[in-house]
Amino acid sequence: MATTLNDLATLLRAEGKLVEAEPLYQRMLEITFSYRMREGKAFRNEDILMNNHARFLRDKGLGAEQIQHEVDKLKKKAGWNE
């Protein structure tokens, strides 16, 4: 499911449909982070999914610190306690 959400969000991003892509990326990361917490290991292709989300945030005009802040918010929402 996370990979499918990533693929669809990336397609929408490529088409310039950032508003439509955002909730898909967010849900994809929630699934990815929840998997890591539950299984104790990284989700398959997690690095690719994270990079795609970072590219999306850069397309929205966010800088590195803002991107990290957004990722941290999603981790917290997923219940990730580092």
Side-chain angles (χ1 to χ4, degrees), residues 3-34:
T3 302
T4 301
L5 289 169
N6 174 72
D7 293 346
L8 181 54
T10 300
L11 175 64
L12 290 168
R13 181 179 61 84
E15 293 177 350
K17 298 178 180 177
L18 302 182
V19 171
E20 292 89 342
E22 187 162 23
L24 301 178
Y25 277 122
Q26 290 174 347
R27 182 65 185 130
M28 176 269 299
L29 287 178
E30 289 171 12
I31 292 168
T32 302
F33 296 149
S34 294

Side-chain angles (χ1 to χ4, degrees), residues 5-71:
L5 289 169
N6 174 72
D7 293 346
L8 181 54
T10 300
L11 175 64
L12 290 168
R13 181 179 61 84
E15 293 177 350
K17 298 178 180 177
L18 302 182
V19 171
E20 292 89 342
E22 187 162 23
L24 301 178
Y25 277 122
Q26 290 174 347
R27 182 65 185 130
M28 176 269 299
L29 287 178
E30 289 171 12
I31 292 168
T32 302
F33 296 149
S34 294
Y35 176 88
R36 180 184 277 271
M37 290 181 342
R38 184 179 63 251
E39 300 297 324
K41 61 183 180 180
F43 186 80
R44 176 179 38 96
N45 298 325
E46 182 178 299
D47 55 339
I48 294 169
L49 303 179
M50 294 291 292
N51 283 333
N52 287 342
H53 181 250
R55 286 185 186 112
F56 160 75
L57 294 174
R58 280 194 299 272
D59 287 352
K60 283 183 55 178
L62 276 66
E65 286 184 26
Q66 293 168 308
I67 290 171
Q68 187 60 54
H69 177 72
E70 290 298 312
V71 171

